[in-house]
Amino acid sequence: MEERTLILVKPDGVQRGLIGEIIGRFERRGLKLIGMKFIHMSQELAETHYGIHKERPFYSDLINYIRSGPVVAMVWTGKNAVEAARGTIGATNPVAASAGTIRGDLGMEIGRNLVHGSDSPENGIKEAGYFFAESELVDWNRDLDSWIRE
Ligand code: IDP
Ligand code: MG
């Protein structure tokens, strides 16, 4: 299976009208979109998705943040999709994120950092499965691929 990453445009990105701006960056990078939905995450989905952070002091704020409005959930695929997407997203704290990244260009605070991206190929597969049934993911040929991939 091709490497996958689960990307969320978080509620601040949606509220600020940055959905297109954020999606455009992944699209232009050369990642390939195979699934997308616009949802308000349930408490259960939020707790599953952020289960690894349960013991962290910011956990309840994080759950409230991710459930404070709708999110755009997407699965993007490609060779090294996880690492490429993390690079496009930038460091967790937008203040420390490099200019040219989503967070470095558009964010100011760690608790409003606009976007989620899976942190390993294993978690990419796992997190994609929290949000999408396999039947909701689209297998398609992108004519441009020979200009993006060797
Ligand atoms: P990541 O999103 O860059 O992978 P993680 O360490 O996995 O960062 O943290 C998950 C999310 O939790 C972050 O994107 C951010 O929204 C939030 N978060 C992380 N650390 C802090 C913090 O110190 N204060 C408030 N929120 C935090
Ligand atoms: Mg993370």
Side-chain angles (χ1 to χ4, degrees):
M1 188 196 289
E2 178 111 84
E3 192 168 308
R4 293 175 175 176
T5 182
L6 185 273
I7 301 292
L8 301 175
V9 179
K10 293 178 173 179
D12 47 337
V14 173
Q15 293 285 352
R16 290 175 56 193
L18 294 172
I19 295 172
E21 164 76 34
I22 290 170
I23 293 177
R25 289 173 180 235
F26 295 108
E27 205 175 25
R28 292 197 300 274
R29 183 78 193 266
L31 289 152
K32 183 178 162 188
L33 183 67
I34 61 166
M36 177 158 65
K37 54 174 74 165
F38 186 56
I39 56 166
H40 190 156
M41 285 170 64
S42 67
Q43 182 74 19
E44 187 184 10
L45 178 57
E47 289 179 3
T48 301
H49 176 67
Y50 280 130
I52 40 163
H53 296 303
K54 199 158 48 195
E55 307 305 328
R56 310 281 282 278
F58 56 81
Y59 177 70
S60 61
D61 287 343
L62 178 56
I63 298 296
N64 290 337
Y65 166 41
I66 208 66
R67 297 196 67 241
S68 61
V71 302
V72 179
M74 297 168 281
V75 180
W76 293 82
T77 190
K79 192 170 156 191
N80 300 314
V82 166
E83 187 182 358
R86 297 276 293 184
T88 289
I89 290 167
T92 304
N93 188 342
V95 171
S98 302
T101 66
I102 294 168
R103 288 168 173 165
D105 288 348
L106 305 172
M108 290 291 288
E109 292 192 15
I110 196 165
R112 295 287 183 272
N113 64 359
L114 294 159
V115 53
H116 168 85
S118 305
D119 65 5
S120 68
E122 300 69 42
N123 284 336
I125 302 285
K126 206 195 301 182
E127 292 174 0
Y130 298 154
F131 287 80
F132 294 88
E134 204 57 37
S135 60
E136 295 177 300
L137 298 175
V138 180
D139 186 21
W140 62 292
N141 286 319
R142 186 171 53 180
D143 292 343
L144 229 60
D145 261 346
S146 61
W147 300 103
I148 295 171
R149 316 165 61 133
E150 278 192 285

